[in-house]
Structures are given as structure tokens and as C-alpha cells.
Amino acid sequence: MNTQALAFDEAPPLMLVLRSFLLAPWFLAASGVVLMVAGPGVWADRYTPGLLAATHLVTVGFLTLTVTAAVFQLVPVVAGTALPYATVLMPIIRWGLALGAALLAAAFLYGEASLFALAAIALALAAAVFTVPAVGVLWRLPRQKTMTPMLYAILMLAVALVLGLVLASEHATGAPISMGLLDTHPLWALVGGTFVLWAAVAAQVLPMFQGVHPWPARVSLGLGPLILGLLLATLAADAWADGVIRAVPRIALALVAATAAAHATYRLGTRTRRRADAMTIFWYMGLACLMGAAVVGGLMAAHLVTGLKGPLVFGFLAIAGAAVSLIDGMLYKIVPFLIWLHLQSQPRAPQVLMSSVIGERTIKRHAAIHAAALGLGLAAIGWPRALGEVAGAAWMADGMMLGGNLIMALVFYKRLVRATTDVLPHATL
């Protein structure tokens, strides 16, 4: 494991970030419950209330909750600079996102304007409390292959959230929905926020955990400005261009995403740790789905794929296939590593391997369930009556298994620490 130049002394308390990691999978499970209960009609198109509720449980409740915690963990360790007032701000961010995700899902399901307003308030508070200190710290840092793209990702994620808050306010007030934002909002969230943040984290964790040779810094440093420029070009094209010109920025975004996925897949193939561990399995699934989403998105931009099913396939591959799979793989490395790291600081604590925190067989069983959930979800788009509820049940099981495995990692940590000391620092729920 390559941990050179990392400032572990600046790492936040274990439970500060672990609480978010432990909470996030249950939103994934909740999205499966929604898909299962809503019935086959939820798969009719991307705007059904059930699908919008399930989507935002995943994107806000699982993805955003996880990545905000990861930023609070990575910035101090990689940059050596702690985010200010982290112990105060992190709980506000965590519960603001959790409450906002639950309220937003309920708002979509029941169509209540007041729920949209309450969700917007909770999410705006969480976003402000996260974005202002994170950007403030990252802005002052010198250009660096992980922190610089992370800054761009957070800024673009903030834009996506503002666009989402505009849509939520329109639902809350009964104003006409801004139809252009229905495409712009997810594009900034998925490509500008999630994709660039994944690339930033990958530049750090692949060399660290997989022995992958680091890619040139100019690649990481140039990705954020490139994606931001293409997203701005997309806005301009939507406003003033027509025909082929309007499609060019979206096709370029698809090419960038496909190239990054292919490059990361190649890099994984050159890793020094030849044995395929949990992270590798989940990342291969995620990268395959990222390439698939890029292909479908490019074909949609070129109007070669039309109809209601194309956006469903694209969204499923991008969110459930790519984002969830890649974050699952990172969680199965980051959580055991954090527990292992904090065990080293405990007096008389036994020496343990990272792989003993969550067993490889347990993780591989989850990988099999996750792969089945991906397959069933894609199949349900084509055959919703036969497979819609089954796909929802699979996603519920997927989230529950991830959540259960992470809880067992905490139990492992508590048991070892209690065996060696009467005091258990930073580990009370």
C-alpha cells in the first residue's frame, strides 16, 4: 500500500465520516422498496413519481451523503489541511442531506407542495454548510491532481443543486416547470459533479490500494476545466444553436466519459496486485456501465436513439451502474482502511489485516447480488410487468447487504478496542 505523503495525523475522528458511510446504504435499500411497491408503471418513463423518488433517494441519500463524507476525510489527509469546524458541520450536512432526501422522495410520491419546500430548505442548508468551507479550503491550495479536480467537482455539484432547488421551488409554488432544467440539472450533477469527483478520488486511491502507476498530473488537472467548458458550451448550444451544432457538446462529453472509463479500465489491468479484490470487481462493473452510459448518451445526443426507453437506460447505467458500483468499490476499501488505521493508534491493539475487517467472501457475495440487481434493473426497463418488482427487491437487498457489511466492520472495530481498553474513543453512535 502506497501511503507516502499522506498526513494521517490530520485525519478526522473515525465516526465523523463513518456515520455517513453507515447511513448512506439504507437510502439505496429504500429506493428498492419504492421501486418494488410502486409497481410496473414506475418504469414507464423517467418522470414517473416513483422513479423520481427512487432516483433522488440514490443520488441525494446515497451518492451525495457518501461523497461529502469522503471529501471531509480526503482533504485533511491528502492536502494536510483540515476543513474548519468539521465536527460541527459534518452532522448538519449528514442530517440535512438525509432529511432532504427523505422529504424529496415523499414529495415526488405524494405530490405535496409543502414537502418540496421543506426538502429544499434542508438541502439548501446542507449544501451551503458543505460547499462554503470545502471550496474555501480547496481554493487556497496549490494545483494538485486530486484536490484541484475535486474543487471543480464541488463547484459543478453546487450548480446542479441550485438547479434542483429551482425545480423544487417550482413544484412548491405551483409555478410552471422549467423544462430545460430537466436535462441540465442531471447533466451537471452526473457529469460535472459525480464523474469529475470520481476521477479526482481515483487518482488517489488506485495508486494507493491497487498499485496502479499514477497517470500524468496534467490529465487530472485538465479534466475539471474541460468538463466545465463543455457543460457551459452545452448551455450555450441549447440556448442559441440548432441541429448538429446543438448536439456537439453533449457528444464531446460522452467521448470524454468513455475515454476516461476505458483508460481507468486499462490502468486497473496493469495493477501490481494481480488478485481481483472487492474494489476491482465493483470497479470493473462500474467502468463497464460508465462506458455503456457514455455510448447511450452519445447516441441520444446524435438522435440515433429516441423514445422513452433511451433516457431510462442512460440514467440507470449512469447512476445505478456506474456511480453506485464505483462508490461501493471505494467504500469496501476506504472503510476497512480507516478502521485498520485507527486500530493502529489503540494501545495494545492486535495487529490485523485490512482484509479481515470485512471478509472477501462476504464482499464477493455482495458483488454477485449487485450484478444481479444491475441486470434485473436493465431488464425491467424492457419488461416491467415481469421484472419490475423483482428488480426493486434486488436493489433493496443490494443496499441492505452493503449497509449490513459496513455495520459489521464497525462491530469488528468495537470488539477489538473493547478487548484492549476500557475506553472507546470516537466510536459511539
Side-chain angles (χ1 to χ4, degrees):
M1 185 189 306
N2 182 8
T3 60
Q4 295 178 353
L6 296 180
F8 292 119
D9 292 341
E10 297 289 338
L14 174 63
M15 289 307 300
L16 187 67
V17 296
L18 196 56
R19 285 189 182 97
S20 294
F21 292 156
L22 292 170
L23 178 61
W26 303 102
F27 285 95
L28 192 62
S31 73
V33 174
V34 170
L35 293 174
M36 184 170 54
V37 173
V42 76
W43 302 93
D45 65 62
R46 59 183 281 202
Y47 300 120
T48 60
L51 193 59
L52 287 171
T55 298
H56 286 84
L57 284 170
V58 176
T59 54
V60 180
F62 178 70
L63 299 180
T64 310
L65 195 59
T66 303
V67 300
T68 51
V71 169
F72 270 79
Q73 176 65 42
L74 282 172
V75 171
V77 172
V78 176
T81 303
L83 272 69
Y85 308 108
T87 55
V88 176
L89 300 181
M90 193 66 228
I92 298 174
I93 297 166
R94 179 188 311 119
W95 295 113
L97 289 172
L99 180 61
L103 288 170
L104 190 57
F108 281 121
L109 288 172
Y110 298 108
E112 287 288 338
S114 59
L115 292 176
F116 279 108
L118 291 172
I121 293 170
L123 293 174
L125 174 63
V129 171
F130 169 70
T131 304
V132 172
V135 171
V137 169
L138 292 171
W139 194 274
R140 294 191 296 269
L141 294 175
R143 286 165 56 84
Q144 196 258 8
K145 66 180 182 180
T146 299
M147 297 296 103
T148 300
M150 185 177 288
L151 171 62
Y152 278 94
I154 292 172
L155 289 172
M156 289 184 279
L157 199 59
V159 172
L161 183 68
V162 170
L163 299 177
L165 291 174
V166 171
L167 290 169
S169 67
E170 291 172 346
H171 281 286
T173 60
I177 301 299
S178 302
M179 300 305 293
L181 296 185
L182 296 178
D183 284 333
T184 305
H185 163 61
L187 192 65
W188 280 75
L190 292 175
V191 183
T194 307
F195 170 68
V196 176
L197 190 59
W198 160 74
V201 175
Q204 185 66 45
V205 301
L206 285 182
M208 180 176 174
F209 291 121
Q210 298 293 336
V212 171
H213 186 70
W215 44 75
R218 65 179 181 274
V219 175
S220 296
L221 293 174
L223 183 63
L226 175 61
I227 296 297
L228 177 59
L230 288 174
L231 287 173
L232 293 174
T234 300
L235 289 178
D238 288 346
W240 296 299
D242 205 353
V244 175
I245 300 300
R246 187 175 183 179
V248 169
R250 282 183 167 83
I251 294 173
L253 285 170
L255 289 173
V256 172
T259 302
H263 182 70
T265 303
Y266 167 75
R267 289 281 183 173
L268 271 178
T270 64
R271 66 190 184 276
T272 57
R273 294 167 178 82
R274 301 308 301 171
R275 184 168 166 265
D277 61 7
M279 180 180 179
T280 310
I281 295 170
F282 277 100
W283 272 47
Y284 275 134
M285 282 192 282
L287 293 171
C289 289
L290 178 57
M291 282 188 276
V295 170
V296 174
L299 292 175
M300 288 169 54
H303 300 290
L304 296 176
V305 170
T306 57
L308 298 177
K309 297 301 183 182
L312 288 175
V313 173
F314 169 77
F316 188 84
L317 287 172
I319 298 171
V324 173
S325 300
L326 293 170
I327 286 182
D328 282 359
M330 285 192 280
L331 284 174
Y332 277 132
K333 277 298 183 183
I334 291 174
V335 171
F337 175 74
L338 292 178
I339 288 175
W340 173 83
L341 181 67
H342 282 77
L343 280 173
Q344 307 311 302
S345 64
Q346 301 296 327
R348 301 183 303 278
Q351 296 295 315
V352 297
L353 297 174
M354 270 181 56
S355 58
S356 64
V357 177
I358 305 176
E360 282 290 326
R361 288 185 179 179
T362 299
I363 300 175
K364 287 181 178 179
R365 280 196 293 269
H366 178 211
I369 291 175
H370 182 70
L374 287 176
L376 286 168
L378 282 173
I381 296 173
W383 298 278
R385 292 189 179 277
L387 298 172
E389 289 92 344
V390 178
W395 277 105
M396 180 184 68
D398 186 23
M400 291 177 66
M401 191 160 192
L402 175 62
N405 288 344
L406 297 183
I407 289 173
M408 292 309 298
L410 177 62
V411 171
F412 175 88
Y413 171 78
K414 287 178 135 180
R415 186 177 70 247
L416 287 183
V417 173
R418 281 176 174 161
T420 56
T421 180
D422 294 329
V423 180
L424 186 61
H426 310 309
T428 55
L429 287 170

